[in-house]
PDB file of all heavy atoms in Angstrom:
ATOM      1  N   VAL A1024      -1.777  -6.477 -11.242  1.00 82.00           N
ATOM      2  CA  VAL A1024      -2.526  -7.663 -10.844  1.00 82.00           C
ATOM      3  C   VAL A1024      -1.550  -8.769 -10.463  1.00 82.00           C
ATOM      4  O   VAL A1024      -0.544  -8.968 -11.132  1.00 82.00           O
ATOM      5  CB  VAL A1024      -3.440  -8.143 -11.996  1.00 82.00           C
ATOM      6  CG1 VAL A1024      -4.209  -9.383 -11.590  1.00 82.00           C
ATOM      7  CG2 VAL A1024      -4.407  -7.039 -12.412  1.00 82.00           C
ATOM      8  N   VAL A1025      -1.843  -9.469  -9.373  1.00 75.00           N
ATOM      9  CA  VAL A1025      -1.001 -10.580  -8.940  1.00 75.00           C
ATOM     10  C   VAL A1025      -1.746 -11.888  -9.149  1.00 75.00           C
ATOM     11  O   VAL A1025      -2.900 -11.900  -9.554  1.00 75.00           O
ATOM     12  CB  VAL A1025      -0.566 -10.431  -7.462  1.00 75.00           C
ATOM     13  CG1 VAL A1025       0.296  -9.206  -7.284  1.00 75.00           C
ATOM     14  CG2 VAL A1025      -1.763 -10.365  -6.535  1.00 75.00           C
ATOM     15  N   ASP A1026      -1.097 -12.993  -8.851  1.00 72.00           N
ATOM     16  CA  ASP A1026      -1.730 -14.306  -8.970  1.00 72.00           C
ATOM     17  C   ASP A1026      -3.090 -14.286  -8.278  1.00 72.00           C
ATOM     18  O   ASP A1026      -3.233 -13.751  -7.190  1.00 72.00           O
ATOM     19  CB  ASP A1026      -0.862 -15.384  -8.316  1.00 72.00           C
ATOM     20  CG  ASP A1026       0.477 -15.549  -8.993  1.00 72.00           C
ATOM     21  OD1 ASP A1026       0.625 -15.100 -10.140  1.00 72.00           O
ATOM     22  OD2 ASP A1026       1.387 -16.126  -8.371  1.00 72.00           O
ATOM     23  N   GLY A1027      -4.061 -14.877  -8.913  1.00 75.00           N
ATOM     24  CA  GLY A1027      -5.396 -14.913  -8.318  1.00 75.00           C
ATOM     25  C   GLY A1027      -6.267 -13.757  -8.760  1.00 75.00           C
ATOM     26  O   GLY A1027      -7.426 -13.679  -8.384  1.00 75.00           O
ATOM     27  N   GLY A1028      -5.725 -12.836  -9.544  1.00 81.00           N
ATOM     28  CA  GLY A1028      -6.515 -11.746 -10.090  1.00 81.00           C
ATOM     29  C   GLY A1028      -6.727 -10.555  -9.174  1.00 81.00           C
ATOM     30  O   GLY A1028      -7.421  -9.615  -9.545  1.00 81.00           O
ATOM     31  N   LEU A1029      -6.178 -10.566  -7.980  1.00 84.00           N
ATOM     32  CA  LEU A1029      -6.316  -9.419  -7.088  1.00 84.00           C
ATOM     33  C   LEU A1029      -5.358  -8.316  -7.512  1.00 84.00           C
ATOM     34  O   LEU A1029      -4.263  -8.588  -7.992  1.00 84.00           O
ATOM     35  CB  LEU A1029      -6.040  -9.829  -5.645  1.00 84.00           C
ATOM     36  CG  LEU A1029      -7.016 -10.845  -5.057  1.00 84.00           C
ATOM     37  CD1 LEU A1029      -6.548 -11.292  -3.685  1.00 84.00           C
ATOM     38  CD2 LEU A1029      -8.418 -10.273  -4.980  1.00 84.00           C
ATOM     39  N   THR A1030      -5.740  -7.088  -7.292  1.00 88.00           N
ATOM     40  CA  THR A1030      -4.859  -5.980  -7.675  1.00 88.00           C
ATOM     41  C   THR A1030      -3.835  -5.715  -6.574  1.00 88.00           C
ATOM     42  O   THR A1030      -4.102  -5.954  -5.389  1.00 88.00           O
ATOM     43  CB  THR A1030      -5.652  -4.688  -7.940  1.00 88.00           C
ATOM     44  OG1 THR A1030      -6.247  -4.250  -6.717  1.00 88.00           O
ATOM     45  CG2 THR A1030      -6.718  -4.891  -9.007  1.00 88.00           C
ATOM     46  N   THR A1031      -2.696  -5.205  -6.978  1.00 86.00           N
ATOM     47  CA  THR A1031      -1.671  -4.861  -5.993  1.00 86.00           C
ATOM     48  C   THR A1031      -2.164  -3.716  -5.104  1.00 86.00           C
ATOM     49  O   THR A1031      -1.843  -3.680  -3.917  1.00 86.00           O
ATOM     50  CB  THR A1031      -0.351  -4.462  -6.677  1.00 86.00           C
ATOM     51  OG1 THR A1031      -0.597  -3.434  -7.616  1.00 86.00           O
ATOM     52  CG2 THR A1031       0.281  -5.658  -7.369  1.00 86.00           C
ATOM     53  N   ALA A1032      -2.955  -2.801  -5.674  1.00 86.00           N
ATOM     54  CA  ALA A1032      -3.493  -1.696  -4.874  1.00 86.00           C
ATOM     55  C   ALA A1032      -4.386  -2.235  -3.756  1.00 86.00           C
ATOM     56  O   ALA A1032      -4.341  -1.761  -2.622  1.00 86.00           O
ATOM     57  CB  ALA A1032      -4.254  -0.728  -5.765  1.00 86.00           C
ATOM     58  N   TYR A1033      -5.182  -3.253  -4.055  1.00 87.00           N
ATOM     59  CA  TYR A1033      -6.064  -3.856  -3.062  1.00 87.00           C
ATOM     60  C   TYR A1033      -5.257  -4.576  -1.978  1.00 87.00           C
ATOM     61  O   TYR A1033      -5.519  -4.437  -0.789  1.00 87.00           O
ATOM     62  CB  TYR A1033      -7.031  -4.832  -3.739  1.00 87.00           C
ATOM     63  CG  TYR A1033      -7.908  -5.584  -2.777  1.00 87.00           C
ATOM     64  CD1 TYR A1033      -9.033  -4.988  -2.218  1.00 87.00           C
ATOM     65  CD2 TYR A1033      -7.596  -6.890  -2.400  1.00 87.00           C
ATOM     66  CE1 TYR A1033      -9.835  -5.670  -1.319  1.00 87.00           C
ATOM     67  CE2 TYR A1033      -8.385  -7.585  -1.502  1.00 87.00           C
ATOM     68  CZ  TYR A1033      -9.503  -6.981  -0.967  1.00 87.00           C
ATOM     69  OH  TYR A1033     -10.277  -7.654  -0.075  1.00 87.00           O
ATOM     70  N   LEU A1034      -4.283  -5.359  -2.397  1.00 87.00           N
ATOM     71  CA  LEU A1034      -3.504  -6.156  -1.449  1.00 87.00           C
ATOM     72  C   LEU A1034      -2.580  -5.326  -0.566  1.00 87.00           C
ATOM     73  O   LEU A1034      -2.331  -5.681   0.586  1.00 87.00           O
ATOM     74  CB  LEU A1034      -2.664  -7.199  -2.197  1.00 87.00           C
ATOM     75  CG  LEU A1034      -3.431  -8.346  -2.832  1.00 87.00           C
ATOM     76  CD1 LEU A1034      -2.501  -9.177  -3.699  1.00 87.00           C
ATOM     77  CD2 LEU A1034      -4.078  -9.198  -1.764  1.00 87.00           C
ATOM     78  N   TYR A1035      -2.048  -4.246  -1.128  1.00 88.00           N
ATOM     79  CA  TYR A1035      -0.995  -3.521  -0.416  1.00 88.00           C
ATOM     80  C   TYR A1035      -1.314  -2.048  -0.173  1.00 88.00           C
ATOM     81  O   TYR A1035      -0.416  -1.247   0.048  1.00 88.00           O
ATOM     82  CB  TYR A1035       0.326  -3.661  -1.186  1.00 88.00           C
ATOM     83  CG  TYR A1035       0.715  -5.107  -1.380  1.00 88.00           C
ATOM     84  CD1 TYR A1035       0.766  -5.677  -2.639  1.00 88.00           C
ATOM     85  CD2 TYR A1035       1.009  -5.917  -0.290  1.00 88.00           C
ATOM     86  CE1 TYR A1035       1.097  -7.007  -2.821  1.00 88.00           C
ATOM     87  CE2 TYR A1035       1.331  -7.255  -0.455  1.00 88.00           C
ATOM     88  CZ  TYR A1035       1.384  -7.791  -1.719  1.00 88.00           C
ATOM     89  OH  TYR A1035       1.707  -9.114  -1.887  1.00 88.00           O
ATOM     90  N   ASP A1036      -2.605  -1.691  -0.159  1.00 87.00           N
ATOM     91  CA  ASP A1036      -2.962  -0.298   0.084  1.00 87.00           C
ATOM     92  C   ASP A1036      -2.525   0.167   1.469  1.00 87.00           C
ATOM     93  O   ASP A1036      -2.253   1.332   1.697  1.00 87.00           O
ATOM     94  CB  ASP A1036      -4.449  -0.050  -0.131  1.00 87.00           C
ATOM     95  CG  ASP A1036      -5.331  -0.788   0.873  1.00 87.00           C
ATOM     96  OD1 ASP A1036      -4.863  -1.799   1.448  1.00 87.00           O
ATOM     97  OD2 ASP A1036      -6.474  -0.355   1.091  1.00 87.00           O
ATOM     98  N   HIS A1037      -2.404  -0.777   2.422  1.00 89.00           N
ATOM     99  CA  HIS A1037      -1.954  -0.415   3.766  1.00 89.00           C
ATOM    100  C   HIS A1037      -0.516   0.130   3.752  1.00 89.00           C
ATOM    101  O   HIS A1037      -0.135   0.904   4.618  1.00 89.00           O
ATOM    102  CB  HIS A1037      -2.061  -1.610   4.715  1.00 89.00           C
ATOM    103  CG  HIS A1037      -1.195  -2.757   4.347  1.00 89.00           C
ATOM    104  ND1 HIS A1037      -1.496  -3.636   3.320  1.00 89.00           N
ATOM    105  CD2 HIS A1037      -0.015  -3.177   4.853  1.00 89.00           C
ATOM    106  CE1 HIS A1037      -0.548  -4.545   3.228  1.00 89.00           C
ATOM    107  NE2 HIS A1037       0.369  -4.297   4.144  1.00 89.00           N
ATOM    108  N   LEU A1038       0.273  -0.234   2.741  1.00 90.00           N
ATOM    109  CA  LEU A1038       1.642   0.273   2.663  1.00 90.00           C
ATOM    110  C   LEU A1038       1.656   1.743   2.265  1.00 90.00           C
ATOM    111  O   LEU A1038       2.488   2.514   2.741  1.00 90.00           O
ATOM    112  CB  LEU A1038       2.465  -0.566   1.681  1.00 90.00           C
ATOM    113  CG  LEU A1038       2.619  -2.040   2.079  1.00 90.00           C
ATOM    114  CD1 LEU A1038       3.354  -2.812   0.991  1.00 90.00           C
ATOM    115  CD2 LEU A1038       3.324  -2.175   3.414  1.00 90.00           C
ATOM    116  N   ALA A1039       0.726   2.143   1.401  1.00 88.00           N
ATOM    117  CA  ALA A1039       0.600   3.566   1.059  1.00 88.00           C
ATOM    118  C   ALA A1039       0.169   4.358   2.293  1.00 88.00           C
ATOM    119  O   ALA A1039       0.663   5.465   2.540  1.00 88.00           O
ATOM    120  CB  ALA A1039      -0.392   3.751  -0.087  1.00 88.00           C
ATOM    121  N   GLU A1040      -0.736   3.770   3.077  1.00 88.00           N
ATOM    122  CA  GLU A1040      -1.158   4.418   4.317  1.00 88.00           C
ATOM    123  C   GLU A1040       0.007   4.523   5.296  1.00 88.00           C
ATOM    124  O   GLU A1040       0.169   5.530   5.980  1.00 88.00           O
ATOM    125  CB  GLU A1040      -2.318   3.645   4.941  1.00 88.00           C
ATOM    126  CG  GLU A1040      -3.576   3.695   4.117  1.00 88.00           C
ATOM    127  CD  GLU A1040      -4.647   2.732   4.613  1.00 88.00           C
ATOM    128  OE1 GLU A1040      -4.545   2.248   5.768  1.00 88.00           O
ATOM    129  OE2 GLU A1040      -5.570   2.456   3.841  1.00 88.00           O
ATOM    130  N   GLN A1041       0.827   3.473   5.363  1.00 86.00           N
ATOM    131  CA  GLN A1041       2.008   3.491   6.230  1.00 86.00           C
ATOM    132  C   GLN A1041       2.932   4.629   5.817  1.00 86.00           C
ATOM    133  O   GLN A1041       3.440   5.366   6.666  1.00 86.00           O
ATOM    134  CB  GLN A1041       2.748   2.158   6.147  1.00 86.00           C
ATOM    135  CG  GLN A1041       4.024   2.120   6.967  1.00 86.00           C
ATOM    136  CD  GLN A1041       4.797   0.811   6.793  1.00 86.00           C
ATOM    137  OE1 GLN A1041       4.234  -0.203   6.394  1.00 86.00           O
ATOM    138  NE2 GLN A1041       6.075   0.851   7.081  1.00 86.00           N
ATOM    139  N   TRP A1042       3.159   4.785   4.505  1.00 85.00           N
ATOM    140  CA  TRP A1042       4.004   5.867   4.005  1.00 85.00           C
ATOM    141  C   TRP A1042       3.443   7.218   4.449  1.00 85.00           C
ATOM    142  O   TRP A1042       4.176   8.078   4.928  1.00 85.00           O
ATOM    143  CB  TRP A1042       4.107   5.808   2.483  1.00 85.00           C
ATOM    144  CG  TRP A1042       4.780   7.018   1.918  1.00 85.00           C
ATOM    145  CD1 TRP A1042       4.187   8.158   1.453  1.00 85.00           C
ATOM    146  CD2 TRP A1042       6.183   7.248   1.808  1.00 85.00           C
ATOM    147  NE1 TRP A1042       5.132   9.063   1.058  1.00 85.00           N
ATOM    148  CE2 TRP A1042       6.355   8.536   1.264  1.00 85.00           C
ATOM    149  CE3 TRP A1042       7.305   6.486   2.111  1.00 85.00           C
ATOM    150  CZ2 TRP A1042       7.612   9.068   1.009  1.00 85.00           C
ATOM    151  CZ3 TRP A1042       8.554   7.032   1.858  1.00 85.00           C
ATOM    152  CH2 TRP A1042       8.704   8.290   1.322  1.00 85.00           C
ATOM    153  N   ALA A1043       2.136   7.404   4.287  1.00 86.00           N
ATOM    154  CA  ALA A1043       1.507   8.682   4.635  1.00 86.00           C
ATOM    155  C   ALA A1043       1.663   8.990   6.128  1.00 86.00           C
ATOM    156  O   ALA A1043       1.936  10.138   6.497  1.00 86.00           O
ATOM    157  CB  ALA A1043       0.037   8.665   4.238  1.00 86.00           C
ATOM    158  N   VAL A1044       1.520   7.990   6.981  1.00 85.00           N
ATOM    159  CA  VAL A1044       1.663   8.190   8.426  1.00 85.00           C
ATOM    160  C   VAL A1044       3.108   8.498   8.790  1.00 85.00           C
ATOM    161  O   VAL A1044       3.391   9.378   9.605  1.00 85.00           O
ATOM    162  CB  VAL A1044       1.151   6.945   9.196  1.00 85.00           C
ATOM    163  CG1 VAL A1044       1.550   6.995  10.656  1.00 85.00           C
ATOM    164  CG2 VAL A1044      -0.348   6.812   9.045  1.00 85.00           C
ATOM    165  N   GLU A1045       4.051   7.771   8.181  1.00 83.00           N
ATOM    166  CA  GLU A1045       5.463   7.946   8.519  1.00 83.00           C
ATOM    167  C   GLU A1045       6.083   9.184   7.883  1.00 83.00           C
ATOM    168  O   GLU A1045       7.138   9.633   8.312  1.00 83.00           O
ATOM    169  CB  GLU A1045       6.257   6.703   8.089  1.00 83.00           C
ATOM    170  CG  GLU A1045       5.914   5.478   8.900  1.00 83.00           C
ATOM    171  CD  GLU A1045       6.639   4.230   8.430  1.00 83.00           C
ATOM    172  OE1 GLU A1045       7.220   4.236   7.322  1.00 83.00           O
ATOM    173  OE2 GLU A1045       6.618   3.240   9.183  1.00 83.00           O
ATOM    174  N   ASN A1046       5.440   9.717   6.835  1.00 82.00           N
ATOM    175  CA  ASN A1046       5.976  10.874   6.115  1.00 82.00           C
ATOM    176  C   ASN A1046       4.899  11.929   5.942  1.00 82.00           C
ATOM    177  O   ASN A1046       4.490  12.235   4.816  1.00 82.00           O
ATOM    178  CB  ASN A1046       6.498  10.425   4.740  1.00 82.00           C
ATOM    179  CG  ASN A1046       7.611   9.426   4.858  1.00 82.00           C
ATOM    180  OD1 ASN A1046       8.767   9.777   5.022  1.00 82.00           O
ATOM    181  ND2 ASN A1046       7.266   8.143   4.789  1.00 82.00           N
ATOM    182  N   PRO A1047       4.410  12.501   7.046  1.00 86.00           N
ATOM    183  CA  PRO A1047       3.306  13.461   6.952  1.00 86.00           C
ATOM    184  C   PRO A1047       3.671  14.657   6.062  1.00 86.00           C
ATOM    185  O   PRO A1047       4.770  15.188   6.145  1.00 86.00           O
ATOM    186  CB  PRO A1047       3.063  13.899   8.400  1.00 86.00           C
ATOM    187  CG  PRO A1047       4.247  13.456   9.175  1.00 86.00           C
ATOM    188  CD  PRO A1047       4.920  12.366   8.404  1.00 86.00           C
ATOM    189  N   GLY A1048       2.755  14.994   5.184  1.00 84.00           N
ATOM    190  CA  GLY A1048       2.967  16.136   4.305  1.00 84.00           C
ATOM    191  C   GLY A1048       3.807  15.844   3.075  1.00 84.00           C
ATOM    192  O   GLY A1048       3.956  16.699   2.210  1.00 84.00           O
ATOM    193  N   ARG A1049       4.384  14.652   2.979  1.00 84.00           N
ATOM    194  CA  ARG A1049       5.199  14.277   1.816  1.00 84.00           C
ATOM    195  C   ARG A1049       4.385  13.410   0.877  1.00 84.00           C
ATOM    196  O   ARG A1049       3.785  12.431   1.297  1.00 84.00           O
ATOM    197  CB  ARG A1049       6.425  13.476   2.250  1.00 84.00           C
ATOM    198  CG  ARG A1049       7.651  14.311   2.450  1.00 84.00           C
ATOM    199  CD  ARG A1049       8.836  13.471   2.855  1.00 84.00           C
ATOM    200  NE  ARG A1049       9.473  12.835   1.697  1.00 84.00           N
ATOM    201  CZ  ARG A1049      10.355  11.868   1.782  1.00 84.00           C
ATOM    202  NH1 ARG A1049      10.692  11.388   2.955  1.00 84.00           N
ATOM    203  NH2 ARG A1049      10.912  11.378   0.709  1.00 84.00           N
TER     204      ARG A1049
END
């Protein structure tokens, strides 16, 4: 959780998606 009560997963889920696109199958 970061300031303001939002979760890091909510704020930065696009980074996990970026990883998946840039590293297919990993």
Side-chain angles (χ1 to χ4, degrees):
V1024 179
V1025 296
D1026 297 342
L1029 296 173
T1030 66
T1031 54
Y1033 175 79
L1034 289 172
Y1035 303 115
D1036 65 337
H1037 63 283
L1038 298 176
E1040 293 170 16
Q1041 177 184 339
W1042 171 266
V1044 168
E1045 292 177 347
N1046 299 276
R1049 266 181 81 193

